[in-house]
Amino acid sequence: MPARSIPNPWLTLFAACFGLGMLMVDTFIVNVAFPAIGRSLDASLSAAEWTVSAYVLVTGVFPVAMGRLGDIFGRNRLYLAGLVLFILASGLCGLAATIEQLIAFRVLQGFGAAIMMPLTLSIVTAAFPPQRRGLAIGIWGGVSGLGLIAGPILGGLLVIGDQWRWIFLINLPLGLVAVIAALRWIPYSADPSAPRSIDWPGLSALTAGLFFLVFALNRANDLGWTSPVIVSLLAGGVAVLALFFAIERRRTAPLIDVTLFRNRTFLAGCLSAFMFSAAVFGSQPFTSLLMQNYLGFSPLQGGLAFLPATGLVAVLMPVSGILGQRLGHRVRLLIIAGSISVAISFAYLLTFTVESRYLDALLPAFILRGLGIGLVMSATSYAVVSALPVEKSGLASGTLTMARNIGTSAGVALFGSVYLHGIGQRLPERLLADGTDPAAADRLTEAATHFVPAGEGPAFAITSTAVVESFLIISLVGLVVCAAATAAAFLVRPRREPAPAAPAPAPMAAAPRTAP
């Protein structure tokens, strides 16, 4: 069996982060391509959302099991298998002829990403000793957050008109570099004490329950929140997730050891990460649509608009990791500060009006958001991974990845439903009241669902107002969700590490007894 020694952990960090960067960029690289994909494949907004939701849902459900498999069979081996699958699926995405094919290939791509994601953090955690782990995790978190923000920028560079396929095909040459780096610099590591089985009943229940809930959120506006289908999906999702926890309590080798959630820092960190990702990354696709379809940005301009936030994330992530390690049991202060910064950015967006433009309305919010992401991501990763023993790093990173990605998927579905509900409730009635004929009102409403203010004269003003008002609802919901993430962060209170006990004083030698 290959040795577990890591001669140069920094090269291991580079190789793991190179692959991680590809995965995170692909989460939201589709954002700026939404309009082009919609036109090219004749897809609705709710269908286009699934190119993000499907990818994030799969990367949220499977990482826990993949972390366990990596602990059993070798993290480097499983990481390489996931990387190859990700590259092949990227090529298929670039060749998709219909929106259904694209969504299916994104699921396959997401499965490859789900194999890789948790292993990158456990590989990094195993490569570095505890006293150097804070900086390494900070860099890992920096790449993770930077990839999410940089995705729209790279997408803007690659999308030209209706030509969007290179946002996926670019992974072919980059993937080759990632494979070479993994083969050379990621050594074998595993957990010899890990159970040698996978909890397939638990994995099936978790997958089905989460899918029911996210699918219901995505389709609720089209079918109606009170429709039998949506109510059944929501109820079924809750019931199956309850079954999942019942299964886990009875398994000798559960997918998720539910006793771990008795660790307050672990539980609160995962909950905060779930809600933070839902608020920040779940709302991001709709901000991209606002800039392109409402403000008239090109895909490149829409991507570059995120550059100030990207720069802040790149600078702050490593710093946050180091500070998190130095703060120790007070690491929650970083998470709270970053969450508050993002909450303020959502509050600032509530000032957006039909006359607002990028510099006065969006740029300040993006700067606040970049500051918050830079503080939160690495600090949360450090808090959650440090809450458990290092031999459980695969399970810890898998659970955290699941929380973040399911949060993002649920956020995309939630904000999409909120926006479409706002348009559907307001716009048709206002257009008809203004004298627009029903057929034209339907066309204008359909355009507004894509953030396009169509029509002329009064109709244009009405559709513009409806788009802005619905975007404000997104911002308000984001503020509430981010406030909940902040509240959860207050519960991240790792125990102080006990000071090493002072050695007991050596017993004094007995005085020699003297003869009477």
PDB file of all heavy atoms in Angstrom, residues 381-399:
ATOM      1  N   SER A 381     -15.518  26.760   7.640  1.00  0.00           N
ATOM      2  CA  SER A 381     -14.835  25.493   7.349  1.00  0.00           C
ATOM      3  C   SER A 381     -13.926  25.096   8.498  1.00  0.00           C
ATOM      4  O   SER A 381     -13.916  23.936   8.930  1.00  0.00           O
ATOM      5  CB  SER A 381     -14.026  25.618   6.049  1.00  0.00           C
ATOM      6  OG  SER A 381     -14.860  25.891   4.951  1.00  0.00           O
ATOM      7  N   TYR A 382     -13.165  26.057   9.017  1.00  0.00           N
ATOM      8  CA  TYR A 382     -12.245  25.756  10.111  1.00  0.00           C
ATOM      9  C   TYR A 382     -13.015  25.326  11.358  1.00  0.00           C
ATOM     10  O   TYR A 382     -12.641  24.358  12.039  1.00  0.00           O
ATOM     11  CB  TYR A 382     -11.380  26.976  10.416  1.00  0.00           C
ATOM     12  CG  TYR A 382     -10.393  26.725  11.530  1.00  0.00           C
ATOM     13  CD1 TYR A 382      -9.198  26.054  11.279  1.00  0.00           C
ATOM     14  CD2 TYR A 382     -10.656  27.141  12.826  1.00  0.00           C
ATOM     15  CE1 TYR A 382      -8.295  25.801  12.295  1.00  0.00           C
ATOM     16  CE2 TYR A 382      -9.760  26.889  13.853  1.00  0.00           C
ATOM     17  CZ  TYR A 382      -8.580  26.226  13.579  1.00  0.00           C
ATOM     18  OH  TYR A 382      -7.695  25.968  14.586  1.00  0.00           O
ATOM     19  N   ALA A 383     -14.108  26.029  11.661  1.00  0.00           N
ATOM     20  CA  ALA A 383     -14.884  25.712  12.866  1.00  0.00           C
ATOM     21  C   ALA A 383     -15.486  24.317  12.790  1.00  0.00           C
ATOM     22  O   ALA A 383     -15.421  23.543  13.753  1.00  0.00           O
ATOM     23  CB  ALA A 383     -15.986  26.752  13.071  1.00  0.00           C
ATOM     24  N   VAL A 384     -16.065  23.960  11.644  1.00  0.00           N
ATOM     25  CA  VAL A 384     -16.734  22.667  11.510  1.00  0.00           C
ATOM     26  C   VAL A 384     -15.727  21.519  11.501  1.00  0.00           C
ATOM     27  O   VAL A 384     -15.909  20.509  12.196  1.00  0.00           O
ATOM     28  CB  VAL A 384     -17.609  22.643  10.233  1.00  0.00           C
ATOM     29  CG1 VAL A 384     -18.119  21.240   9.948  1.00  0.00           C
ATOM     30  CG2 VAL A 384     -18.774  23.608  10.376  1.00  0.00           C
ATOM     31  N   VAL A 385     -14.655  21.654  10.722  1.00  0.00           N
ATOM     32  CA  VAL A 385     -13.668  20.575  10.652  1.00  0.00           C
ATOM     33  C   VAL A 385     -12.957  20.398  11.987  1.00  0.00           C
ATOM     34  O   VAL A 385     -12.667  19.274  12.414  1.00  0.00           O
ATOM     35  CB  VAL A 385     -12.659  20.858   9.511  1.00  0.00           C
ATOM     36  CG1 VAL A 385     -11.526  19.847   9.540  1.00  0.00           C
ATOM     37  CG2 VAL A 385     -13.356  20.807   8.166  1.00  0.00           C
ATOM     38  N   SER A 386     -12.689  21.511  12.671  1.00  0.00           N
ATOM     39  CA  SER A 386     -11.995  21.439  13.960  1.00  0.00           C
ATOM     40  C   SER A 386     -12.888  20.918  15.077  1.00  0.00           C
ATOM     41  O   SER A 386     -12.395  20.555  16.146  1.00  0.00           O
ATOM     42  CB  SER A 386     -11.455  22.826  14.341  1.00  0.00           C
ATOM     43  OG  SER A 386     -10.554  23.297  13.376  1.00  0.00           O
ATOM     44  N   ALA A 387     -14.199  20.890  14.845  1.00  0.00           N
ATOM     45  CA  ALA A 387     -15.112  20.415  15.883  1.00  0.00           C
ATOM     46  C   ALA A 387     -15.054  18.904  16.056  1.00  0.00           C
ATOM     47  O   ALA A 387     -15.523  18.380  17.065  1.00  0.00           O
ATOM     48  CB  ALA A 387     -16.548  20.844  15.555  1.00  0.00           C
ATOM     49  N   LEU A 388     -14.489  18.198  15.052  1.00  0.00           N
ATOM     50  CA  LEU A 388     -14.422  16.737  15.110  1.00  0.00           C
ATOM     51  C   LEU A 388     -12.965  16.292  15.048  1.00  0.00           C
ATOM     52  O   LEU A 388     -12.101  17.035  14.579  1.00  0.00           O
ATOM     53  CB  LEU A 388     -15.199  16.122  13.939  1.00  0.00           C
ATOM     54  CG  LEU A 388     -16.691  16.456  13.844  1.00  0.00           C
ATOM     55  CD1 LEU A 388     -17.297  15.767  12.632  1.00  0.00           C
ATOM     56  CD2 LEU A 388     -17.427  16.052  15.113  1.00  0.00           C
ATOM     57  N   PRO A 389     -12.668  15.066  15.477  1.00  0.00           N
ATOM     58  CA  PRO A 389     -11.299  14.557  15.360  1.00  0.00           C
ATOM     59  C   PRO A 389     -10.850  14.508  13.909  1.00  0.00           C
ATOM     60  O   PRO A 389     -11.673  14.369  12.990  1.00  0.00           O
ATOM     61  CB  PRO A 389     -11.401  13.141  15.958  1.00  0.00           C
ATOM     62  CG  PRO A 389     -12.624  13.165  16.808  1.00  0.00           C
ATOM     63  CD  PRO A 389     -13.572  14.119  16.148  1.00  0.00           C
ATOM     64  N   VAL A 390      -9.542  14.608  13.680  1.00  0.00           N
ATOM     65  CA  VAL A 390      -9.019  14.677  12.318  1.00  0.00           C
ATOM     66  C   VAL A 390      -9.361  13.423  11.528  1.00  0.00           C
ATOM     67  O   VAL A 390      -9.533  13.483  10.298  1.00  0.00           O
ATOM     68  CB  VAL A 390      -7.490  14.908  12.352  1.00  0.00           C
ATOM     69  CG1 VAL A 390      -6.774  13.700  12.931  1.00  0.00           C
ATOM     70  CG2 VAL A 390      -6.964  15.238  10.964  1.00  0.00           C
ATOM     71  N   GLU A 391      -9.475  12.265  12.179  1.00  0.00           N
ATOM     72  CA  GLU A 391      -9.800  11.047  11.429  1.00  0.00           C
ATOM     73  C   GLU A 391     -11.211  11.078  10.863  1.00  0.00           C
ATOM     74  O   GLU A 391     -11.559  10.271  10.001  1.00  0.00           O
ATOM     75  CB  GLU A 391      -9.612   9.807  12.297  1.00  0.00           C
ATOM     76  CG  GLU A 391     -10.458   9.761  13.548  1.00  0.00           C
ATOM     77  CD  GLU A 391      -9.751  10.350  14.756  1.00  0.00           C
ATOM     78  OE1 GLU A 391      -8.762  11.089  14.542  1.00  0.00           O
ATOM     79  OE2 GLU A 391     -10.178  10.074  15.892  1.00  0.00           O
ATOM     80  N   LYS A 392     -12.043  11.987  11.347  1.00  0.00           N
ATOM     81  CA  LYS A 392     -13.397  12.149  10.812  1.00  0.00           C
ATOM     82  C   LYS A 392     -13.486  13.338   9.863  1.00  0.00           C
ATOM     83  O   LYS A 392     -14.571  13.858   9.610  1.00  0.00           O
ATOM     84  CB  LYS A 392     -14.404  12.311  11.949  1.00  0.00           C
ATOM     85  CG  LYS A 392     -14.572  11.070  12.819  1.00  0.00           C
ATOM     86  CD  LYS A 392     -15.705  11.233  13.805  1.00  0.00           C
ATOM     87  CE  LYS A 392     -15.875   9.981  14.649  1.00  0.00           C
ATOM     88  NZ  LYS A 392     -16.312   8.818  13.842  1.00  0.00           N
ATOM     89  N   SER A 393     -12.360  13.777   9.306  1.00  0.00           N
ATOM     90  CA  SER A 393     -12.353  14.962   8.438  1.00  0.00           C
ATOM     91  C   SER A 393     -13.166  14.729   7.172  1.00  0.00           C
ATOM     92  O   SER A 393     -13.800  15.661   6.649  1.00  0.00           O
ATOM     93  CB  SER A 393     -10.917  15.347   8.074  1.00  0.00           C
ATOM     94  OG  SER A 393     -10.257  14.297   7.389  1.00  0.00           O
ATOM     95  N   GLY A 394     -13.162  13.478   6.663  1.00  0.00           N
ATOM     96  CA  GLY A 394     -13.964  13.196   5.473  1.00  0.00           C
ATOM     97  C   GLY A 394     -15.442  13.369   5.736  1.00  0.00           C
ATOM     98  O   GLY A 394     -16.169  13.973   4.951  1.00  0.00           O
ATOM     99  N   LEU A 395     -15.887  12.848   6.879  1.00  0.00           N
ATOM    100  CA  LEU A 395     -17.296  12.978   7.243  1.00  0.00           C
ATOM    101  C   LEU A 395     -17.658  14.430   7.523  1.00  0.00           C
ATOM    102  O   LEU A 395     -18.707  14.917   7.100  1.00  0.00           O
ATOM    103  CB  LEU A 395     -17.587  12.115   8.467  1.00  0.00           C
ATOM    104  CG  LEU A 395     -19.026  12.136   8.999  1.00  0.00           C
ATOM    105  CD1 LEU A 395     -19.997  11.649   7.939  1.00  0.00           C
ATOM    106  CD2 LEU A 395     -19.124  11.289  10.258  1.00  0.00           C
ATOM    107  N   ALA A 396     -16.775  15.152   8.222  1.00  0.00           N
ATOM    108  CA  ALA A 396     -17.042  16.560   8.540  1.00  0.00           C
ATOM    109  C   ALA A 396     -17.119  17.401   7.276  1.00  0.00           C
ATOM    110  O   ALA A 396     -18.051  18.199   7.091  1.00  0.00           O
ATOM    111  CB  ALA A 396     -15.964  17.097   9.480  1.00  0.00           C
ATOM    112  N   SER A 397     -16.140  17.247   6.383  1.00  0.00           N
ATOM    113  CA  SER A 397     -16.133  18.042   5.158  1.00  0.00           C
ATOM    114  C   SER A 397     -17.293  17.657   4.245  1.00  0.00           C
ATOM    115  O   SER A 397     -17.887  18.513   3.572  1.00  0.00           O
ATOM    116  CB  SER A 397     -14.801  17.881   4.416  1.00  0.00           C
ATOM    117  OG  SER A 397     -14.574  16.523   4.075  1.00  0.00           O
ATOM    118  N   GLY A 398     -17.653  16.356   4.222  1.00  0.00           N
ATOM    119  CA  GLY A 398     -18.793  15.932   3.412  1.00  0.00           C
ATOM    120  C   GLY A 398     -20.092  16.525   3.898  1.00  0.00           C
ATOM    121  O   GLY A 398     -20.922  16.978   3.112  1.00  0.00           O
ATOM    122  N   THR A 399     -20.289  16.534   5.222  1.00  0.00           N
ATOM    123  CA  THR A 399     -21.514  17.107   5.770  1.00  0.00           C
ATOM    124  C   THR A 399     -21.578  18.605   5.527  1.00  0.00           C
ATOM    125  O   THR A 399     -22.635  19.156   5.183  1.00  0.00           O
ATOM    126  CB  THR A 399     -21.608  16.812   7.282  1.00  0.00           C
ATOM    127  OG1 THR A 399     -21.489  15.408   7.495  1.00  0.00           O
ATOM    128  CG2 THR A 399     -22.929  17.288   7.847  1.00  0.00           C
TER     129      THR A 399
END
